[in-house]
Structure formats: C-alpha cells, structure tokens
C-alpha cells in the first residue's frame, strides 16, 4: 500500500489548483518558521509563558464557536463535553506547562568521574528542536491539535498544524483562532485535501507528530524517515477491559459504558471489547443494559449522543453489526430508537461472544459497538490480550489488588487504568502514548516537554582533570592510568 492509496488519493493528475495553493502555503510556512528559528533559536521562559497564556486566552474566547463547529461537523455534539475536553482540557495543559516551565527547563546535573574529569560540570540541557509538524485527527479536533501544541510551545518550538479534512468547520475555525492569536512564524494552520496530506510528512521537520490509525501512521513514518525526521505516533488500537469475577458490578458496568459512549466510541482510548468471566456473562450483560435503561434511557436520541463523523464511517459500523448477525451471533441493541441516519446517531450495540474472525474483532471499532467475550481464568484473559497487538490503553476491573497488579505486570500497553477507563488521557502530568502498533512517543506534561526537546549533553571543563590522556600521542601517562584502573602494571596487551 502506498501513502496515496492509504489516504484515498491516486496520483497528481487528481490534484486541483486549490491543492497547489495549499502545498505552496505549507512550504512557505515551513520556510518562514525555519528562518525564524535561526533568528531566535531558544525562547526564554517568559516568552514561552506568554505563548502558553495566549493559547489559554484564545481557546477560552472561542468556547461557543468551538461548540458550534463541533456540532456542524458531527451533526450532534454535546456542548458540555466540548467545554470539558476541547476547551478546558487544552487550557489546563497549557496552564500546567506554564506553571512548571522553569523546573522543566532547568539543566539536569549528571554524574561524572572526578578522577578523569576533575571539577568538570556535566549536565543535560533541553533545547527546542525547531520546527514541528503536527497532523491532528478529526475525533478531537481542538484537544489533539492545541493540546500537543502546549507541549511544543513549552519546549520553545515553532509549529505547523494540519487538521483533518473530515472536520471542515472545526479546521476552518482552528485556522482562524491560530491566525488571530499567533504570528505565523511561530504557529500556523494549513488546510487542504489529500494531496496536502501526502506532502506534509515529506518535509524535513525537526519532529513530526501524527495522531490517527496504524495503516496511515506506518506510511507517515516511512515518509518522515526519508529525511530522518523523528516521529511521535499515536495510533489507537483495540483497548480491552478485563473484568475480574469480584468486579461484575453495577459500578464496573457504568464505568465501561460511560467510557464507551464518549463521542459514541470515536475515541482512541475507548473500550474496544470486554473480557468477562464465563459464568458472569449474562449478569454483566444485564448490568450494562440496566444501566442504560435506568440511567440513560433513549440515549441515542439525546443531545449527549455524538453523531458519527461521516456517512461512510456510519456505514462501516453498520456493516460490522450486520456481519455479526449474519453469523448467528447474539446482538443486543440497547435502546429502541434505532439508527438515526439524519444525525448519524447510533445506539450502543452489544455483541455477545463474537468469534475472533469477525471484522469487529480484527479492527479498531471506533464506534458504539461493544463486544463481550468470556474467559475461564484470569490468566486466559491475559493470554488473549497478549496474543493481539499491544493496545494504546488497557483497563482492569478487580477489587483484589493482587489480581489487578498481576494483570498489569503480565500485559503491555501504552497506558492503563484500574477500576476505570480512559482517564489516563486526561491527566496533564501523565505522559500519554502507545507502544508497538499503537504508536510510540509521549506527550502531556514533562514527558511532552521532553518529547519535543533536544536533550543536549554538555560538559564544562573544570580543573584537575586527565582529559589529555585521551589525546595522542599516547605514552607513559596513558599507561599509568590504564594500569591503575586495571590494577596491573601490564597495560600493553593481553595475556
């Protein structure tokens, strides 16, 4: 598969004049920021705090328009959740970075060998990488563009953002917000179609962040590798919830359902499937349906139910359910409203014990479908998870602390939660990212600051050292040093 086919573009003959203008704008923005880095390569702490404060101000000022843009792109989008994640989440990350900036920027002393280096000072200093490319996804258009931007600004970088073409209203608003708040030589947004998407990772960035799916992520990394550009890839995957027999409870069902219905499952750290003790399958299913019936009646018709991003995405989800039904798998629709094609809202659908060769067990679902599979022993659940790709998130529900710790110790994932789901993505001071097919690298907090900084090892020479022993010509001094280290007068060879 080529990068062009992965994003649905065949060749340059399909390019439009608009594509050419977008590419010219991208290259111009990149060149302008590169020149700005040469003029001002390392902004000081106050300049960085000013930039972070500007980010807080603009995201807060555009609160209501952000709500409107999300509703335009998703057909239905809860305003309160937009405030919580897309506005307050970004503002919180920027404020947290500003608060801790001095300690993050301070050089870290490292140990040296006084016998060799005398009074030399050895330290690791974090300097800006330079110009960073940021390819953000459609599911959280502001949080996953301006959130990482906070880390990048804290690290003193300049940034070009390319938002998704699936959210045109949000992308246009993001472009307007950034243009109002920042000089384009510091932060700018470029928008365009698939030709621009192909061009973006091919530039010689100082770092590149891509959030999306593994298939395109692999191609983005390949394009970046042509210029030896370091990448941060956040790629999602099939995040499991393992429920121990002591936690088949109403609270566990509420946590899993709640996380699954955030953005109608269109979240990279959503629960993709549940593993439940075989003898508790019916009880757990009843708890899930009871929670929806009692606490969230008619949820899929409510303003809290986010629409699926496009009709194509909705059709894909419907086909996953239809395949399960056609194979005779039990499918439970959790409310009576059915599919609303006008607003692209879909009720939560449970799929009970689906075979592993179904598409919904092979691909990331990214929608309101929850497979529930049985296991016999907790070790079997762990083995099942470990047979698949390492997920971005893993969730274990167990009242027995030893069980929870054993599951964490015997599985590998980008992040994890115990007795809740997806909260690891909402903590400003907790590095967030994947491993293996779910991605690599971290952003959020100090981990994000370091991700987008160059850790520069520095030695400042002092007095009383033996540095000259490393330089030719070699003779008695070198022999004496080696003999002292080896505890032998013979330093001329081996026996």
């Amino acid at each position: 598969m080529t990068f062009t086919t992965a994003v649905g573009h065949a060749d340059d003959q399909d390019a439009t004049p608009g594509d050419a203008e977008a590419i010219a704008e991208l290259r111009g923005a990149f060149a302008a920021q590169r020149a700005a880095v040469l003029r001002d390569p390392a902004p000081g702490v106050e300049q960085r705090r000013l930039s972070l404060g500007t980010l807080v101000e603009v995201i807060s000022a555009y609160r209501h328009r952000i709500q409107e843009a999300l509703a335009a792109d998703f057909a239905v989008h809860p305003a309160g959740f937009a405030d919580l994640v897309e506005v307050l989440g970004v503002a919180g990350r920027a404020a947290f970075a500003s608060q801790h900036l001095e300690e993050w920027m301070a050089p870290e002393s490292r140990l040296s060998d006084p016998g060799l280096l005398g009074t030399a000072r050895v330290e690791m200093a974090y300097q800006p990488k330079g110009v960073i490319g940021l390819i953000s996804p459609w599911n959280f258009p502001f949080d996953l563009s301006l959130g990482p931007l906070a880390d990048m600004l804290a690290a003193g970088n300049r940034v070009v953002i390319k938002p998704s073409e699936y959210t045109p209203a949000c992308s246009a608003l993001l472009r307007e917000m950034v243009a109002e708040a920042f000089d384009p030589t510091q932060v700018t947004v470029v928008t365009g179609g698939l030709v621009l998407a192909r061009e973006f990772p091919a530039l010689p960035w100082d770092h590149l962040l891509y959030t999306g799916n593994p298939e395109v992520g692999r191609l983005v990394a390949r394009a970046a590798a042509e210029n030896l550009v370091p990448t941060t890839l956040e790629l999602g995957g099939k995040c499991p919830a393992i429920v121990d027999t002591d936690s088949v409870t109403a609270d566990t069902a509420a946590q899993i359902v709640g996380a699954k219905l955030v953005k109608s499952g269109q979240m990279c750290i959503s629960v993709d499937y549940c593993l439940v003790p075989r003898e508790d399958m019916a009880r757990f299913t009843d708890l899930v349906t009871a929670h929806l019936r009692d606490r969230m009646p008619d949820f899929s018709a409510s303003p809290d139910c986010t629409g699926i991003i496009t009709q194509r995405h909705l059709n894909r989800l419907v086909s996953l359910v239809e395949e399960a039904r056609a194979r005779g798998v039990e499918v439970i629709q959790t409310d009576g409203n059915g599919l609303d094609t006008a607003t692209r809202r879909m009720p939560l659908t449970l799929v009970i014990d689906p075979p592993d060769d179904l598409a919904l067990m092979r691909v990331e679902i990214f929608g309101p479908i929850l497979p529930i599979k049985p296991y016999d022993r907790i070790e079997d659940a762990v083995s099942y998870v470990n047979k698949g790709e390492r997920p971005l998130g893993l969730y274990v529900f167990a009242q027995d602390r030893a069980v929870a710790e054993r599951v964490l110790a015997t599985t590998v994932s980008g992040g994890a939660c115990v007795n809740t789901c997806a909260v690891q993505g909402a903590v400003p001071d907790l590095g967030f990212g994947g491993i293996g097919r779910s991605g690599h690298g971290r952003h959020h907090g100090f981990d994000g600051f370091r991700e987008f900084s160059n850790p520069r090892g520095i030695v400042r020479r002092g007095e009383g050292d033996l540095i000259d022993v490393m330089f030719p010509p070699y003779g008695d001094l070198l022999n004496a040093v080696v003999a002292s280290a080896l505890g032998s007068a013979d330093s001329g060879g081996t026996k």
Side-chain angles (χ1 to χ4, degrees):
M1 179 187 291
T2 66
F3 182 74
T4 51
T5 57
V7 296
H9 182 75
D11 51 46
D12 287 337
Q13 70 183 6
D14 296 325
T16 68
D19 293 321
E21 292 171 7
I23 290 174
E25 181 184 10
L26 168 63
R27 292 174 178 168
F30 177 80
Q33 291 196 3
R34 267 290 171 87
V37 167
L38 295 177
R39 294 192 301 270
D40 183 15
V45 62
E46 291 308 320
Q47 189 175 345
R48 298 185 197 192
R49 279 195 175 129
L50 181 62
S51 297
L52 291 166
T54 298
L55 180 55
V56 172
E57 290 173 4
V58 72
I59 195 76
S60 303
Y62 274 76
R63 169 193 170 196
H64 294 298
R65 291 190 61 190
I66 287 170
Q67 294 173 358
E68 293 167 359
L70 288 163
D73 285 330
F74 286 89
V76 178
H77 191 286
F81 189 72
D83 283 343
L84 181 65
V85 175
E86 306 277 16
V87 177
L88 293 177
V90 172
R93 283 179 68 172
F96 182 82
S98 181
Q99 179 183 355
H100 294 277
L101 201 50
E102 279 189 272
E103 62 188 88
W104 293 353
M105 291 175 65
E108 298 175 354
S109 295
R110 299 297 170 91
L111 297 176
S112 67
D113 178 3
L116 177 64
L117 297 181
T119 62
R121 290 165 49 207
V122 179
E123 64 186 26
M124 187 67 75
Y126 293 97
Q127 64 178 166
K129 284 195 168 182
V131 180
I132 296 182
L134 194 168
I135 305 175
S136 60
W138 53 262
N139 57 330
F140 290 90
F142 301 93
D143 176 57
L144 291 177
S145 55
L146 300 182
L149 175 64
D151 300 343
M152 295 169 182
L153 292 175
N157 296 291
R158 299 168 189 273
V159 185
V160 180
I161 301 171
K162 186 218 165 292
S164 173
E165 61 270 22
Y166 284 126
T167 49
C170 291
S171 297
L173 182 60
L174 183 67
R175 182 180 173 104
E176 179 185 336
M177 292 166 58
V178 168
E180 177 185 307
F182 295 97
D183 187 287
T185 62
Q186 184 181 23
V187 187
T188 194
V189 175
V190 293
T191 55
L194 299 170
V195 174
L196 181 68
R198 182 181 63 180
E199 179 74 12
F200 197 94
L203 292 181
W205 305 100
D206 295 304
H207 196 103
L208 179 64
L209 166 64
Y210 167 78
T211 302
N213 66 65
E215 289 71 29
V216 176
R218 182 182 295 110
L219 301 171
V220 167
R222 187 178 299 160
E226 289 295 323
N227 290 305
L228 299 179
V229 172
T231 58
T232 302
L233 303 178
E234 196 273 272
L235 305 177
K238 297 189 72 63
C239 302
I242 300 175
V243 181
D244 188 30
T245 187
D246 68 4
S247 292
V248 182
T249 64
D251 182 67
T252 295
Q255 289 292 308
I256 291 173
V257 169
K260 186 63 176 179
L261 291 180
V262 169
K263 286 270 186 152
S264 289
Q266 299 170 107
M267 180 171 67
C268 59
I269 50 176
S270 184
V271 179
D272 200 87
Y273 64 95
C274 289
L275 297 173
V276 176
R278 189 176 302 277
E279 66 272 17
D280 295 315
M281 284 284 287
R283 181 167 164 240
F284 181 77
T285 302
D286 289 344
L287 287 169
V288 170
T289 54
H291 176 77
L292 287 154
R293 181 187 66 243
D294 300 338
R295 298 281 303 278
M296 310 171 72
D298 298 323
F299 175 76
S300 65
S302 78
D304 291 333
C305 181
T306 303
I308 304 303
I309 187 62
T310 68
Q311 187 63 46
R312 182 174 69 82
H313 287 75
L314 180 62
N315 292 343
R316 181 186 68 84
L317 293 171
V318 170
S319 72
L320 294 178
V321 176
E322 289 178 344
E323 182 192 22
R325 280 202 178 102
R327 291 279 296 276
V329 178
E330 182 183 2
V331 174
I332 301 172
Q333 184 175 298
T334 58
D335 70 39
N337 294 295
L339 190 68
D340 184 345
T341 55
T343 60
R344 303 191 299 276
R345 286 182 292 184
M346 181 179 183
L348 178 64
T349 302
L350 309 181
V351 182
I352 310 302
D353 195 12
D356 291 338
D357 63 342
L358 284 183
L360 60 82
M361 294 307 298
R362 291 185 287 106
V363 301
E364 184 178 7
I365 292 171
F366 227 68
I369 304 169
L370 182 62
I372 303 173
K373 288 184 69 73
Y375 70 85
D376 295 308
R377 301 177 307 140
I378 197 73
E379 292 79 9
D380 298 330
V382 167
S383 177
Y384 183 87
V385 170
N386 287 340
K387 284 191 299 184
E389 298 287 349
R390 291 171 168 178
L392 183 59
L394 179 142
Y395 313 116
V396 54
F397 289 83
Q399 299 309 304
D400 186 332
R401 185 172 179 178
V403 171
E405 293 304 317
R406 188 161 74 249
V407 171
L408 293 179
T410 53
T411 57
V412 180
S413 62
C417 292
V418 177
N419 295 327
T420 189
C421 308
V423 180
Q424 79 274 18
V427 181
D429 195 31
L430 188 62
F432 177 81
I435 181 171
R437 187 177 167 83
S438 63
H440 58 246
R442 294 292 183 272
H443 56 90
H444 287 208
F446 184 44
D447 297 280
F449 172 85
R450 291 198 297 185
E451 182 82 356
F452 304 118
S453 296
N454 174 44
R456 189 186 200 186
I458 301 172
V459 176
R460 291 182 171 86
R461 189 180 184 188
E463 298 178 347
D465 62 54
L466 294 176
I467 290 176
D468 288 349
V469 79
M470 296 186 289
F471 306 147
Y474 304 113
D476 292 342
L477 180 59
L478 172 61
N479 292 337
V481 169
V482 172
S484 175
L486 297 177
S488 168
D490 180 11
S491 60
T494 60
K495 294 182 179 179

